[in-house]
Structure formats: C-alpha cells, structure tokens
Amino acid sequence: MPHTLTSNAYGKSRVRLTKVVRNPQDPNHHGVYEFNVNITLTGDFAASYTDGDNTKIVATDSQKNTVYVLARENDFDSPDAFAKLLATHFVETYEQVTAADVRVHQTLLTRVSIDGTPHPHSFVGGSTETRTARCSVTPEGTRCCGGISGMVVLKSAGSVFVDFVDDRFRTLPDTTERIFATTVESTWRFTSPDADFNAAYDAIRPAFIKVFAENHSLAVQQTLLEMGGAALDAAPAIDRIDLEMPNQHRVPFNLEPFGHANDATIFVTTDEPAGMIRGTVERS
Amino acid sequence: MPHTLTSNAYGKSRVRLTKVVRNPQDPNHHGVYEFNVNITLTGDFAASYTDGDNTKIVATDSQKNTVYVLARENDFDSPDAFAKLLATHFVETYEQVTAADVRVHQTLLTRVSIDGTPHPHSFVGGSTETRTARCSVTPEGTRCCGGISGMVVLKSAGSVFVDFVDDRFRTLPDTTERIFATTVESTWRFTSPDADFNAAYDAIRPAFIKVFAENHSLAVQQTLLEMGGAALDAAPAIDRIDLEMPNQHRVPFNLEPFGHANDATIFVTTDEPAGMIRGTVERS
Amino acid sequence: MPHTLTSNAYGKSRVRLTKVVRNPQDPNHHGVYEFNVNITLTGDFAASYTDGDNTKIVATDSQKNTVYVLARENDFDSPDAFAKLLATHFVETYEQVTAADVRVHQTLLTRVSIDGTPHPHSFVGGSTETRTARCSVTPEGTRCCGGISGMVVLKSAGSVFVDFVDDRFRTLPDTTERIFATTVESTWRFTSPDADFNAAYDAIRPAFIKVFAENHSLAVQQTLLEMGGAALDAAPAIDRIDLEMPNQHRVPFNLEPFGHANDATIFVTTDEPAGMIRGTVERS
Amino acid sequence: MPHTLTSNAYGKSRVRLTKVVRNPQDPNHHGVYEFNVNITLTGDFAASYTDGDNTKIVATDSQKNTVYVLARENDFDSPDAFAKLLATHFVETYEQVTAADVRVHQTLLTRVSIDGTPHPHSFVGGSTETRTARCSVTPEGTRCCGGISGMVVLKSAGSVFVDFVDDRFRTLPDTTERIFATTVESTWRFTSPDADFNAAYDAIRPAFIKVFAENHSLAVQQTLLEMGGAALDAAPAIDRIDLEMPNQHRVPFNLEPFGHANDATIFVTTDEPAGMIRGTVERS
C-alpha cells in the first residue's frame, strides 16, 4: 500500500535569548529582554523526508544562530516586533521557505526600586506569567498575534455557580460563595502587522484584571466573555481574542465531622482535575 | 464597538482514574488501567457566557463523576474504547451537546515477573511514555485516533547530516557521526470507530522502534517519514499518521583545548534548544 | 546477617490549604493564605515497621485532617505561626510522638489594585517565589526558621569574575562584565520561638534585594556573604542565616563568526549546568 | 553586630554528560552512559566570600570541563566509579580543596532488541527511575553510596491498613483492600570504596521488587523495613540502607450516590497529598 507525505514542517524550538539594551543617553541604564523563541518553517523540504537530500534545508542550528544574530543587528521594543522580524527574515531570505511561523514567550522582569528609585540594571523575575507573541508570514500576508500566558488570578468572593443541569451524574450543590482561581491563557489578533503591539498589551492586561476583580461571576464562562469584550474595548488594534481559563478548584474541606460549620473559610487547594473553559470573542 | 462570542467550548481536564479489573476466572489476577482524561464539549452553551444562565451546563464536576461512573459500569480493553464510550455518552445523553472530544492518556504499567513468573497484581511504572487515544463525536460522525506520546529513543550511530544550506548563518559542520535522540509524539487516525485499537497500537510501536534502530538516518526528516510509512504498513486500520520528533541534541564537547581529538565519545546532553521535525503520512 | 531499624519517621507531605480570613470590621475584606504543608513525626513507631502493628500510628490521613481543622480553629498571621501551631499540636496531643517537624511553603498572592484602590478580595499570583517556615518541636525545645525560596533576581551590570585558578581545566576567560542571575534559597533561624516572624521576613527580603542590586559583585560568594550579613543586620530576631545561590549563567553568544564584536549584549539563557554557591552566616 | 561566615561550599550542578563506549572487539557495538553530575567542594575558599579574592577558586566552569575531560581520559563501568574518580581528582589536584562530594544520577537506557537480537547502538529511555551514586572524599577517607531514585511501583492487592489511632482527627476507615503505589527513593552505603558497585545495584533492585510484590503489607512502614532488610541480605558490600516511600494514594471514588457498591475497582489517582514514610536499616 503506497503512502505519501501530505504535510511537513520543521524548525527550532526553545531558543532562549537574553538581550541587554543600553540607553544611548545613559549607557549604565539597561533594559533586558528574555525571550524563548520557537520557529516553524514550511516550504519545499520534501526531498529531505523522501531522499535525505538536505540541500534546501536551513539547519535548525543555523536558525538558532539567526535568532542571536538578528537580535544583535536590530532594535526592537516588543516580543511581537522580534517575532515579525524573524518570520519575515526566513521568508525573504530563502526561496524555498514559503511560510514562517515564529512564537516568542517573554519572561517578565520587574525593575528593582531601592528606596523609591528605579535601579538602572537590577530586576526581579520568577513569574509564571509570560507575554507572548506570534507572527506568521505566508503567501497570504503577515499575521501578528499577542498574548498573555500563565496569569494566575484568584478571588475569594463574588463568584457563584447555580442552576446547572441536575441529573444522576450531578453531586455538586449550588454554590453561592466560592473561590474563583484560574490561570489565564489568551491570544489576540492584530488587524495589521504594523499595529502598536505594546499599546495593546499595556491596555489588555489591566482590563483583564479589572473585569476579573469586579465582575460578579455567575459562571467562569460569563467572566471569560466579559474579559474578552473588555480587551476588545481597550485595544482598538485587535479584532479577535481567544481566552482559555481553567477553573482551578478550591474544594471546601468538610468540617462537619469535626464539629464546625462549613463557612467558606477552609479549602483544599487543587491543580487537578480542573474545569476548562474556552471562548473566542470578535468584533461584530 | 459591539462584539460577539464566535466560538466556545468547555469541559473537564486532568481527570485521573485508576481501574482494577479482576479476571473472572481468577479474581486474584488483576489488570490495572491508569488514565488521565480530558473532555471538551461544544453545543448550545452561549447563554452561560452571555447571561450566566447555566441551565444547559453540565457541570465539569458532573463530567468528572461521569468518568468514574462509566468506568465502573462498562468493560473496555483500551484507552481508545474508553474515549469512545465517554464521547458517545455526552452527545447521546444531552440534547444541547452537539459534539464531544475526549482525549485519554494511559500511563504504562509493566507487570512484574518474579523468577520468570508474572505476578498477579504488581506492576512497575515510571515511564514518560504514554499511550494516547482521542475520540470526537460530531454531527459528521465518530472519529477515533490512537497515539504514542513521550517515547524516548536514542541511537549512537547510523545518523548523519550533511550538505545542508551553507550561508552566513551556518556554523555547524557536516556531521557523519552523531547521536540521534528524540521523543516521539505520534497520533494515527482510524478509518473506522470500530477498528481494533489494540492491534494497531501493538503493531505500530515495534514498527517505530525497528525503523528508528535500523534506518541509516540522513536527516531526522527522512527517518520520520520512514517510521510513518512503516506504521501504515503495519496497521491496516489506520489511514493517516502524524509524527513530531524533536532533535534532542547531544553536542560534541570540544576536547581539543585539553589535548584530545574529538572522536565522537563525549557529548553535552541538552534539552534545549531542540530541533523540531514534523510530518504527516497518508495512504495514497 | 541480622539487621536493625536504626531510625524512622513518617508524616504527610504536600497538604495544600487555602484559608480565607474575613476582617471582623469589614467582612467583605478578605485575606487569603495558601499554604503547602509537610509534616514529619518521630517517636515510638517501630512496631509498625517491625510487626505491622499500627496502634501507635496517627494515620497520615488524620494528619491531613488536622491541618484543615486547626486552620479553622485558630487564628494565625504567618506561615511560621501555623507551622509552630501544628508541630506543637502533634507533640502535645500524642504521647508516642517525641518530635514533630513541620514545614510550610506559602504561595505569594498580591492584592489587586483598581485605579489605585486595593480590591477587597482579588489577587494576582503566579510567582515561583515562596515564603517558607519550619518549626521543629523536640525534647530539647522548639526551634523556628523562616525563609525565602525561589526568589529570581538578575543584574545586567556590576558583576565581575577574575583571577581564579588557571590550570589545564580552565577555558573561561576573566570577565569584567557579566550578567548575574540567581534564584535565592535562604532560611534563617530565630533565637526564640516567640519572635516576630513577619517583622523578620519584612526586613530580610528588601535587604536581600538592596544588596543584590547595589553590591559590586567580585564573586557570587562575596555577594552571598554580604546579603547574609545584611539580613542579620536587618533582623535582630535571627542569629543564623543559610543562603544558596545558583549561578544561572547567561553565556555570551559568540558573534565573531557573524562579523560583530562581542559587546555584552547578546547571551544564551541557560538553566543548566549551574554554579552552586552556599554559605552560612552567624552572629559572632 | 558582627557576623562570621561559619560554613561554605560551592560547586557545579546539573552537568550532563553522554559518553559512548565502543567495544574494542566490536567497535560498532556501543554502550552509552548518560549522567547528570553535581559537584560540591569544601576547603579554603573564605577569601572569595570575604574579599572577592578568587585566587583559590576553581571556577565552576572548570569543574564542568573536568567532568567531560575525565570522562574522556578514563574508563569506568558505573556511576559510582565515575563519582569516585571525580571526587578523588578534586581533592588530589587542589591543595585548597579539603573535601569533595560528587553525586551522579544515571538515566536508564534499555538496549533495543529487534526480533530477539540486541541492537548494537539503539536504546529506549524515558524512565523516571534513575540509578544514583555519591562519593565523598574527606580527610577521614572515601565514602561511596549507591542508590535508586524514582522507581514507581504499584500493587492492586496485598495491602491493608487497620487499627491505627482513632481520635477526633480520624475519618479514614480501616482498609482491608487498597492499592499500594509508591516511588522508591533509596540510598545504600558501601563498607569500602573498592566495593563491586554494580553487583550491589544488580542485587538490590530485584530484591526491592520481589519484596514489594510478595510482602503482604500491613503498613507502608512494614514493607519498607522488609525491603531494606532484603537489600542488606542481597548485597554483602553494603552495611546501611535508607528508604523513603511516599504513599501515593489511589482514593476510592464513592460510587454509592450512583447506585453502585464500592468494590475496590474505581479509584481517583492522586499525587498530593502523599504519605511519606522513611526508615534506615543497618546490619546489627
């Protein structure tokens, strides 16, 4: 029975870059970017699969070098700009590359302040939250998306869940007071590859947090949609946003066997199982 | 600017089940399944997003209960069969559920042998490799896929990489002797939801290993295609297979500064960066 | 050849608790503690090992229950106080328990501010950094230790490393400009179990950051000692501090093959291998 | 208040080495070692801490080089032998090093068999289980320890837990049928640094598995002691063994609300919380 290679792609993943940017006016004042880069190329590579003929293969090691060299040769002020720079490079440089998809995760570093003064070159890190960017250059054009990954938020009031399907598989009671904890994963689509990427990020993150805090949540679903809508309102440069919000349960510990009422104070913290709620919101 | 919820889905992730199956002929002889189940439902759920109206929502907690209850009430002999059972259940039970997608990862347990005799109820585990299954029930029908995730293989000879693009970004020399290490991620598509899932798995895994070991690799790409073709040859019940094989580099440690030739004996073991090679093979 | 059980201990690990504390003056204003608790008991438990006689065994499940029940029945304002409460409980409650060692890791939650106003019940989390506490109650008395784990800091200037041993195993040049990145692990010992635990934590953390930022580092070792000394100066309630600071290298990417000078701007971000530097500082 | 550096140590952690060993009689037949090496040195290093004077500091980068260079220059047949080689090297080479402690974790690779024939250079990996070795060279002499880490075992019968302390914190009923799952962590001490390390490992691992499978467990504690005793019986070259065995619970899912008896078939698989049982067994 014959068979055919019907699609293929390759690239380099987990290329980690630290770039120090010195302020020309004040060379002792540093900015630091920490990026984790993933590259996927598609194009005329079938001969490598079928015959081991690598003459059109840009080695993934060369792709890795490209990340560091282009970071040196170019200025950029966002992970989105760096993703666009790389994706464009691969398509423009190699005839056999028909499309390049570059994803960048930026580790967040917060500048240290000492006695209220920002320090010129010291930072605190360690957040699970990253800023993400993705740029795809294809024959149809250039598409850029920004995002937030791993943003952990928790509220200990203002979340209820009632009136859901009641059948033989249900044991959960209606809950009028619960903890709502989640790790937000979101990506948004820019209408133009020339958008102001930082303006969107700077507007969307606080919009998420404000809605999460203030929305009286009737369901994770409802909060998710409101967060997506707020992001669209805050960032005119985007026209679509995807959100995924796991419901990371804090399960009430049953205090009754120990002579106490269950008064929404003591919970078992869990990672799994988790609810998983997704939605896409677009301008209409 | 108005906006619309253009797609949505929800479910329960990371539901972990251990089921003990007693042989009716010999109740002391046990089989043990360990599954990690992820459920995604799509359907008429928009009211929960737009209005916090949960009357059509099957709580993710109820979905979790369903996993355990259906595991108790049904016999099954593969993760694929259990995924199909669950996905079918959700679509058949709830009018508002138009599609269900269930993914199962099975932890591998190897029965202990003592002095050559298989033990009736003791097992060794601890592999990163899992067997995977996915079943989607949609208005178009039922689609089942099997798979292998996390299969670590390494060969210390029989792998070369030469004659790739030489430009200013290349520093890697041609290599006629290298270590080829990867972690195979693969999923295959069954032509029928009534296929013999175990027969396919039992044929594909050794086919992968045999090709990986015996193929004289001119590129990861070439080995990947040959592995995919061997799987199609071994398992008539499938018609498509996807493979992703990161190139997990063992980088030669440069011994020259220390007075030794670099003779392909001493390598730096790395996880990142990694090459990333993908392909899809279908019957033609 | 006979053998003897020469030491033993058991307990419960990874007990995760979320406690909501309502302000009596303003019940809508919440504090939230998230603790990960590990308990180790030693005592008269040998019969369980030698004979499977569990009559003196406090089940680890009961220990888990104790964490939640005591959290409900007691007020506390620090992980240290909760660790002391638990350790004291086990020794005082069970005659067969001669010593109890309780370790608590507190997940850090930062209260959300909306337009400058702290929100009563919403928080952002997601830091790898935790506050730690450990309390050991033994026949010799009660010993409390506080700590910080997983505090990621990075400085892009003010770190040199020169004049180290030069022999055949050295290839690293003297470096007068490098990135210094580490993840601080530190524990400190209180002179009294009645110390003001929060005052010490609140003084030590900024002392660490200030020294890390301002110290002109001649070696990780030197910065570590200065950080330890600053902590002792800042927190009179402690008399000893242990620090472990891995040197998490940012390796200069060699730009010379690409026609650029190596000007301390472009680095490969790595997790491994890492230097590992430890020291203990005590009042003299 | 003055303070003093009362202890210090430094070294290199997570040095990962892959070594290919070619059989001199059959160079196409390879053995492959994959080691993760951690080095800690103690000695006359205080000047680096107090004054940033690095003249006695062997850079951790040089330590890393040493791992690769000594792996090239020496034959060894176990992680223990390599740990001893490295620890001895540092103490013998540098006057200022008074003690060296080297720990090696060996990733397990299983040679592939094709149609019953072992393949000369292909392996399957991916186990969480590692073989460990530790060698400390101090002024008192050389001490070697072997070990096993991450060995996952599970038995679905032959484990009970009854008659433990019954007080207000207990909710767990006596259990006469439960799943016993654990991840064995064990280290053993050799009486001589010239012991046959492989003989001990090859005897202890199957002894562990045999006892785990065959012991009718009245408590994890009891099984642990029996495993330790069996190891001492199997390996005359050791005189002490430490074991740590978390009780990784499979919690019965309560089927009663769903109309089924709880018949020890359906369990919730958990990682946390976990019991934690430890013991040390020595020849008497």
Side-chain angles (χ1 to χ4, degrees), chain A residues 30 34 73 126 128 156 250 260, chain C residues 30 34 73 126 128 250 260:
Chain A
H30 292 181
E34 296 215 304
E73 295 180 347
T128 60
S156 54
R250 302 301 186 272
H260 299 288
Chain C
H30 293 181
E34 295 215 305
E73 296 180 346
T128 60
R250 302 300 186 274
H260 300 287

Side-chain angles (χ1 to χ4, degrees), chain C residues 39-225:
Chain C
I39 299 162
T40 304
L41 305 182
T42 51
D44 181 14
F45 304 124
S48 177
Y49 291 79
T50 55
D51 300 305
D53 171 353
N54 297 318
T55 50
K56 292 189 174 168
I57 294 290
V58 181
T60 68
D61 190 74
S62 303
Q63 295 178 32
K64 177 203 72 182
N65 287 342
T66 303
V67 169
Y68 295 105
V69 173
L70 293 197
R72 172 64 180 77
E73 296 180 346
N74 294 276
D75 292 327
F76 47 83
D77 65 356
S78 68
D80 312 69
F82 190 58
K84 186 171 70 168
L85 173 69
L86 280 166
T88 304
H89 164 84
F90 287 112
V91 171
E92 291 187 348
T93 305
Y94 303 102
E95 196 178 15
Q96 68 272 37
V97 175
T98 51
D101 183 42
V102 175
R103 286 170 294 129
V104 176
H105 277 245
Q106 180 178 18
T107 301
L108 302 180
L109 296 172
T110 302
R111 189 176 296 275
V112 163
S113 282
I114 306 292
D115 305 326
T117 303
H119 194 272
H121 57 250
S122 295
F123 304 86
V124 173
S127 178
T128 60
E129 183 181 338
T130 57
R131 176 175 171 183
T132 68
R134 181 173 192 166
C135 183
S136 296
V137 176
T138 68
E140 285 73 45
T142 299
R143 170 63 75 189
C144 293
C145 293
I148 287 173
S149 177
M151 186 175 81
V152 175
V153 286
L154 177 150
K155 60 194 289 186
S156 55
S159 171
V160 308
F161 185 54
V162 300
D163 295 336
F164 45 91
V165 170
D166 191 6
D167 67 357
R168 75 174 285 243
F169 295 102
R170 172 173 170 178
T171 54
L172 189 72
D174 277 8
T175 313
T176 55
E177 185 162 28
R178 65 173 185 172
I179 292 179
F180 178 6
T182 190
T183 301
V184 178
E185 303 286 324
S186 178
T187 57
W188 48 83
R189 190 175 71 179
F190 289 101
T191 53
S192 160
D194 301 317
D196 184 337
F197 304 122
N198 288 337
Y201 175 79
D202 291 341
I204 291 170
R205 191 179 184 279
F208 278 169
I209 289 173
K210 183 176 165 70
V211 170
F212 178 79
E214 297 188 345
N215 170 258
H216 181 72
S217 178
L218 302 174
V220 173
Q221 285 88 336
Q222 183 231 14
T223 306
L224 180 151
L225 176 57

Side-chain angles (χ1 to χ4, degrees), chain D residues 18-67:
Chain D
T18 299
K19 180 174 182 179
V20 175
V21 181
R22 290 169 176 77
N23 185 331
Q25 268 71 52
D26 177 6
N28 291 323
H29 191 278
H30 292 182
V32 175
Y33 291 105
E34 296 214 304
F35 289 161
N36 194 327
V37 179
N38 290 269
I39 299 162
T40 304
L41 306 182
T42 51
D44 180 14
F45 304 124
S48 177
Y49 291 78
T50 56
D51 300 305
D53 171 354
N54 297 318
T55 51
K56 292 188 174 170
I57 294 290
V58 182
T60 67
D61 191 74
S62 302
Q63 295 177 33
K64 177 203 72 183
N65 287 341
T66 303
V67 169

Side-chain angles (χ1 to χ4, degrees), chain B residues 19-39:
Chain B
K19 179 174 182 180
V20 176
V21 180
R22 290 169 176 79
N23 185 331
Q25 269 70 53
D26 177 7
N28 292 323
H29 191 278
H30 292 182
V32 176
Y33 291 105
E34 295 214 306
F35 289 161
N36 194 327
V37 179
N38 289 269
I39 299 162

Side-chain angles (χ1 to χ4, degrees), chain A residues 16 18-20 22 30 34 73 121 123 125-126 128 152 154-156 177 250 260 264-265 267 269 271, chain C residues 16 18-20 22 30 34 73 121 123 125-126 128 152 154-156 177 250 260 264-265 267 269 271:
Chain A
R16 293 173 65 191
T18 299
K19 179 174 183 179
V20 176
R22 290 168 177 79
H30 292 181
E34 296 215 304
E73 295 180 347
H121 58 249
F123 304 86
T128 60
V152 175
L154 176 149
K155 59 194 289 186
S156 54
E177 185 161 27
R250 302 301 186 272
H260 299 288
T265 57
F267 299 85
T269 319
D271 286 331
Chain C
R16 293 173 65 190
T18 299
K19 180 174 183 180
V20 177
R22 290 169 177 78
H30 293 181
E34 295 215 305
E73 296 180 346
H121 57 250
F123 304 86
T128 60
V152 175
L154 177 150
K155 60 194 289 186
S156 55
E177 185 162 28
R250 302 300 186 274
H260 300 287
T265 56
F267 299 85
T269 319
D271 286 330

Side-chain angles (χ1 to χ4, degrees), chain C residues 231-278:
Chain C
L232 287 166
D233 289 344
I238 71 169
D239 65 354
R240 191 179 79 182
I241 185 160
D242 289 279
L243 281 148
E244 177 171 329
M245 289 168 50
N247 193 349
Q248 295 171 313
H249 307 291
R250 302 300 186 274
V251 180
F253 181 82
N254 183 14
L255 290 161
E256 288 182 2
F258 308 97
H260 300 287
N262 288 320
D263 54 358
T265 56
I266 303 295
F267 299 85
V268 180
T269 319
T270 68
D271 286 330
E272 63 183 15
M276 184 277 301
I277 318 296
R278 291 186 187 134

Side-chain angles (χ1 to χ4, degrees), chain D residues 158-178:
Chain D
S159 172
V160 307
F161 185 54
V162 301
D163 294 336
F164 44 94
V165 169
D166 192 5
D167 67 358
R168 74 173 284 243
F169 295 102
R170 174 173 169 177
T171 54
L172 190 72
D174 276 9
T175 313
T176 55
E177 186 160 28
R178 65 173 186 174

Side-chain angles (χ1 to χ4, degrees), chain A residues 203-252:
Chain A
I204 291 170
R205 191 179 184 279
F208 279 169
I209 290 173
K210 182 176 165 72
V211 170
F212 177 80
E214 297 188 345
N215 170 257
H216 181 70
S217 178
L218 302 175
V220 173
Q221 284 89 335
Q222 183 230 18
T223 306
L224 180 150
L225 176 57
E226 195 162 315
M227 288 168 67
L232 287 166
D233 290 344
I238 72 170
D239 65 354
R240 191 179 80 182
I241 186 161
D242 289 280
L243 281 147
E244 177 172 328
M245 290 168 48
N247 193 350
Q248 296 171 312
H249 307 292
R250 302 301 186 272
V251 181

